[in-house]
Amino acid sequence: MLPSLFVAHGAPLLAIENNEYTQFLEQLGTEFSKPKAVVLFSAHWESQTQKVSKVDEFETIYDFGGFPAALYSMKYPAIGDHSVTKEIEEVFQKQEIPYDLDTNRGLDHGAWVVLKMIYPSVDVPVISMSVNPNLSPMEQYNIGKSLSKLREQDILIIASGGTVHNLGALKMGKDDGTIDPWAQEFDTWLEEQLTKWNIDALINYNALAPSAELAVPPYGNEHFIPIFYAMGAADGDKSAKLLHRSYRYGNLSHSVWQFGESQ
């Protein structure tokens, strides 16, 4: 059985950088057995109804601007797995979770930047999933929970986002390793609640967590909420482990969380 993961995708520049975090992600792909497929929820695919990809081969989406030309020539032509898509459909139908199939959309940078580092050989099929910021945290959790049985088939569930992601607060010209105290305070609170699996506190993070309005601004909660999908997928284990945390640009958190055990 594979765990589920929450992986921060940071800035698109990660795809062409060599640093502490990129080295960690490159190593992460060797920590678990090679999955049959990856089901990936991306913060950069928002929808009001849950979207599930049914794609033969994904195009690479460059959903960003103003970055070095090298980024726009990178490709991650992952294939889909229609049998896994069908299984997800059956689960959603049984549990009456509304969904739509998507047969056209490629992989956004929240997906391909992470996958390119973890599985650079592009040899693991991918099923891309949207997130819905307008659902309650428990609804997001329950969507992840509905897919928990996939882990028993060596299917890796990844939720890609960022625990502290406030574009308005970034200090892009100051990447000297200093960390804004408010970002650390939020992540420290989050770590305590996750390791205790304190779901009551977590679903009320916006009222209870210190500096929540800075770490998860109302216009940017799509990057935080993927963590609930990943947690839900490990509801049977209810265990959380922080695998990595570092920061860039003062407060952009590169956190990786493992939910559930690898067996």
Side-chain angles (χ1 to χ4, degrees):
M1 179 185 290
L2 290 173
S4 60
L5 300 173
F6 174 84
V7 180
H9 59 250
L13 284 170
L14 279 178
I16 56 173
E17 291 180 325
N18 179 17
N19 55 46
E20 175 189 3
Y21 187 47
T22 62
Q23 292 166 17
F24 170 81
L25 290 179
E26 289 164 1
Q27 180 66 25
L28 183 61
T30 69
E31 296 295 322
F32 311 111
S33 59
K34 182 180 174 182
K36 172 186 173 184
V38 169
V39 174
L40 191 145
F41 292 87
S42 174
H44 286 277
W45 190 9
E46 298 178 56
S47 66
Q48 295 304 303
T49 300
Q50 179 65 55
K51 300 286 189 181
V52 184
S53 71
K54 187 179 181 181
V55 174
D56 293 323
E57 182 177 313
F58 290 93
E59 295 183 356
T60 304
I61 301 174
Y62 308 103
D63 52 334
F64 45 77
F67 289 96
L71 271 176
Y72 302 93
S73 63
M74 301 187 86
K75 305 284 185 185
Y76 195 85
I79 62 170
D81 186 323
H82 295 346
S83 66
V84 178
T85 295
K86 183 178 181 182
E87 189 165 356
I88 293 171
E89 284 192 88
E90 291 172 351
V91 168
F92 284 168
Q93 289 167 5
K94 183 177 180 180
Q95 301 200 22
E96 299 183 342
I97 296 172
Y99 73 94
D100 290 322
L101 289 180
D102 185 285
T103 59
N104 296 306
R105 192 178 188 276
L107 296 176
D108 58 66
H109 84 271
W112 69 260
V113 168
V114 167
L115 291 169
K116 191 172 183 65
M117 284 183 279
I118 299 177
Y119 299 113
S121 298
V122 202
D123 56 355
V124 178
V126 176
I127 296 83
S128 186
M129 308 283 283
S130 66
V131 299
N132 183 353
N134 295 318
L135 294 179
S136 69
M138 276 311 302
E139 289 172 314
Q140 295 152 356
Y141 183 99
N142 285 332
I143 289 173
K145 181 180 177 180
S146 74
L147 302 178
S148 60
K149 292 291 186 182
L150 295 179
R151 294 175 47 221
E152 298 175 6
Q153 303 172 38
D154 287 332
I155 294 172
L156 180 62
I157 297 173
I158 298 177
S160 171
T163 57
V164 180
H165 185 277
N166 185 336
L167 295 181
L170 294 185
K171 302 166 183 173
M172 295 299 292
K174 187 180 180 182
D175 191 20
D176 60 1
T178 59
I179 306 167
D180 291 336
W182 60 264
Q184 279 192 312
E185 289 171 357
F186 179 83
D187 267 342
T188 298
W189 179 90
L190 183 63
E191 179 179 359
E192 181 178 354
Q193 309 314 316
L194 287 173
T195 53
K196 292 179 179 178
W197 209 269
N198 188 352
I199 193 66
D200 290 336
L202 289 163
I203 64 176
N204 291 296
Y205 71 90
N206 55 343
L208 298 178
S211 303
E213 72 285 353
L214 283 172
V216 189
Y219 58 83
N221 69 329
E222 78 285 341
H223 275 74
F224 181 71
I225 56 133
I227 206 164
F228 292 116
Y229 293 87
M231 281 189 74
D235 179 79
D237 302 69
K238 291 185 173 62
S239 67
K241 182 190 303 182
L242 179 64
L243 301 183
H244 177 91
R245 185 163 63 215
S246 57
Y247 296 86
R248 298 287 298 279
Y249 316 119
N251 52 67
L252 183 63
S253 177
H254 289 163
S255 295
V256 178
W257 280 92
Q258 174 183 324
F259 299 109
E261 298 299 326
S262 178
Q263 301 176 2

